[in-house]
Each structure stands twice: as C-alpha cells, then as structure tokens.
C-alpha cells in the first residue's frame, strides 16, 4: 500500500477511529507538511478547514462510509 501511495500523484490518506493512520506524500504536501509522519496519529478533524466544517461534514462522511457510499 505504501508503494502505491508513494507513486500516486494525488493526496491520499486513510483514517481509523478518527485518527490519520496512513498518509501519502502528496497529501502531506497539500497540508503544508514535508513528511507524512508529521500527520500520522493526528486527529482526522485536523484536515478540515474549521471545527464548523468538521462538525457539519464529518458526520456526513461517516454515514456515507457506513452505507457503502462514496
């Protein structure tokens, strides 16, 4: 999985239990970080622009995944 993410020209990250678990280089760069390790273990809410965005969109994302939707 890491080699696929390293070769991907887009930002990819995986989270589990609301924490970032696996972060690609491009994803880290999009958020202004030099290293993927800077983000691993951080709360997934950190990738939202604001607490309001997280509160509004975070629940929708969780429901979509539970329902098997994109």
């Amino acid at each position: 999985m890491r080699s696929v993410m390293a070769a991907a020209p887009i930002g990819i990250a995986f989270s589990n239990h609301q924490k970032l678990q696996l972060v690609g280089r491009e994803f880290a760069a999009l958020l202004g970080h030099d290293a993927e390790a800077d983000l691993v273990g951080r709360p997934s809410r950190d990738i939202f622009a604001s607490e309001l965005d997280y509160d509004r969109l975070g629940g929708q994302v969780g429901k979509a995944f539970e329902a098997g939707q994109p």
Side-chain angles (χ1 to χ4, degrees), residues 1-69:
M1 180 64 95
R2 290 187 192 280
S3 63
V4 169
M5 290 180 69
I10 60 171
I12 301 172
F14 292 92
S15 66
N16 189 23
H17 300 289
Q18 299 179 345
K19 293 214 182 273
L20 296 171
Q21 299 293 317
L22 186 59
V23 177
R25 183 178 356 162
E26 291 296 323
F27 185 86
L30 285 170
L31 296 178
H33 292 269
D34 293 328
E36 304 90 72
D38 292 346
L39 296 170
V40 172
R42 303 244 335 240
S44 56
R45 74 180 330 132
D46 287 357
I47 66 170
F48 288 83
S50 68
E51 289 292 320
L52 178 63
D53 284 346
Y54 177 79
D55 291 340
R56 190 174 23 181
L57 299 172
Q60 292 176 6
V61 170
K63 288 177 186 174
F65 277 119
E66 287 175 11
Q69 299 173 341

